[in-house]
Amino acid sequence: MSENHYDLHCHSTCSDGTFSPEELLAHAKEIGLKGISITDHDTIIAYEVAIEEAKRLGLGIISGVEFSAVHKGVSVHTLGYAFDLESESIRKLCERHRTRRANRYRSILELLAKHGMPLEEQELPKGSIGRPHIALAMMEKGYVKNVKEAFRRYLGEGKPCFLRTEVISVEETLDAIHQGGGLAVIAHPHLIKNKKIFDEVLDMGYDGIEGYYARFSLREESPWIELAENRGLIVTGGSDFHGKIKPNNPLGASWVREETFQMLEKHFHNASLS
Ligand code: AMP
Ligand code: ZN
Ligand code: FE
Ligand code: FE
């Protein structure tokens, strides 16, 4: 891999990735990345070990998280970067999500049992439990052939074992990230199909757009980069690596260069001091 690549979007076992934080960092080092941000869904638990481990490996690292925000019923994944890891507002928001997810997890297991697919009430992981974990367990039990089928038939929106949970708004999410001294970025913007919703969300106070995503081509990236430039927003990028849960997103598939990372690193340093 060429030098000076920094992947700012990846998941560990603290949410629905299949690499532990240590394995993720070792993998980043192995493929030649210069640095990383671990953006688990709704949790920053990876950072209990990640900062030290990145230092040991000589990798750059900044704080990161991917919050599951919602605007008018539309999911708006919101990346937070370079916030203070001790921030009360970020920790409180993660705790709300943890409770939301734990409740949903139990209810989904009840629904699955009713549909003839009992799963053992496993020990809840310490981190952030998501539908992909349930999909994997269903696959291991032989109820479905793969994760995609689990979503298509049972867990996806509107399917028999889908459950709505407490909604946490984009406004609350942006407030928490900003109070923690961080920067907020709209993740994989192409997934927000409704233009009106997208425009409303963009006006709510985001600092950046994830213009480089997974295996996007130049043609797919350029409208987002242009939009960010017109709005004076930063452009971030990353692979959305999940290990074997999303085998088509290899680590380092998208990335940012040194200038962007250094700006974020400076921001992280300042947020952590105040
Ligand atoms: P959760 O945050 O628990 O609601 O789970 C959402 C995650 O499930 C997303 O971030 C995706 O990684 C994954 N996901 C959502 N829909 C599908 C699908 N149709 N097939 C596979 N994975 C999906
Ligand atoms: Zn995920
Ligand atoms: Fe996402
Ligand atoms: Fe993600």
Side-chain angles (χ1 to χ4, degrees), residues 46-196:
Y47 286 92
E48 285 177 4
V49 295
I51 300 279
E52 279 299 302
E53 185 61 10
K55 271 195 195 140
R56 198 181 68 78
L57 295 170
L59 282 172
I61 191 162
I62 54 158
S63 59
V65 63
E66 182 176 14
F67 282 122
S68 313
V70 175
H71 178 61
K72 296 189 176 166
V74 176
S75 162
V76 184
H77 281 191
T78 297
L79 294 159
Y81 289 120
F83 50 84
D84 176 10
L85 284 163
E86 303 299 324
S87 148
E88 220 15 60
S89 64
I90 299 273
R91 290 189 172 263
K92 274 194 185 145
L93 187 55
C94 290
E95 187 50 35
R96 272 177 78 191
H97 277 289
R98 205 181 79 82
T99 309
R100 173 182 78 81
R101 285 176 174 277
N103 291 340
R104 178 180 66 160
Y105 176 75
R106 292 193 196 94
S107 306
I108 292 180
L109 289 194
E110 283 168 24
L111 279 174
L112 285 170
K114 276 189 200 147
H115 284 79
M117 293 174 284
L119 289 176
E120 312 298 323
E121 172 83 49
Q122 300 125 314
E123 281 277 273
L124 295 182
K126 200 171 154 211
S128 188
I129 308 145
R131 284 177 288 162
H133 293 112
I134 301 175
L136 263 190
M138 289 169 73
M139 186 181 95
E140 271 151 25
K141 278 269 190 178
Y143 298 146
V144 289
K145 281 200 293 294
N146 50 42
V147 167
K148 261 205 145 54
E149 187 189 345
F151 273 91
R152 186 168 47 76
R153 295 183 60 189
Y154 303 108
L155 302 175
E157 193 157 341
K159 304 296 166 172
C161 301
F162 175 77
L163 267 185
R164 286 217 178 280
T165 59
E166 182 200 353
V167 166
I168 300 184
S169 70
V170 170
E171 290 94 332
E172 291 173 280
T173 304
L174 292 175
D175 276 352
I177 294 170
H178 289 146
Q179 275 173 33
L183 297 168
V185 172
I186 303 188
H188 36 65
H190 63 293
L191 294 184
I192 306 174
K193 306 285 183 204
N194 183 320
K195 167 111 176 46
K196 190 165 169 288

Side-chain angles (χ1 to χ4, degrees), residues 183-247:
L183 297 168
V185 172
I186 303 188
H188 36 65
H190 63 293
L191 294 184
I192 306 174
K193 306 285 183 204
N194 183 320
K195 167 111 176 46
K196 190 165 169 288
I197 295 281
F198 183 82
D199 288 344
E200 280 178 20
V201 163
L202 195 60
D203 281 336
M204 286 180 173
Y206 279 93
D207 305 287
I209 300 178
E210 189 176 46
Y212 308 104
Y213 179 73
R215 296 204 294 185
F216 258 16
S217 62
L218 188 60
R219 198 167 56 88
E220 290 165 297
E221 288 166 359
S222 44
W224 304 114
I225 292 156
E226 200 174 302
L227 177 64
E229 273 171 9
N230 290 339
R231 291 274 196 142
L233 298 173
I234 58 173
V235 180
T236 70
S239 59
D240 208 2
F241 178 72
H242 282 71
K244 74 172 178 188
I245 286 189
K246 282 191 187 177

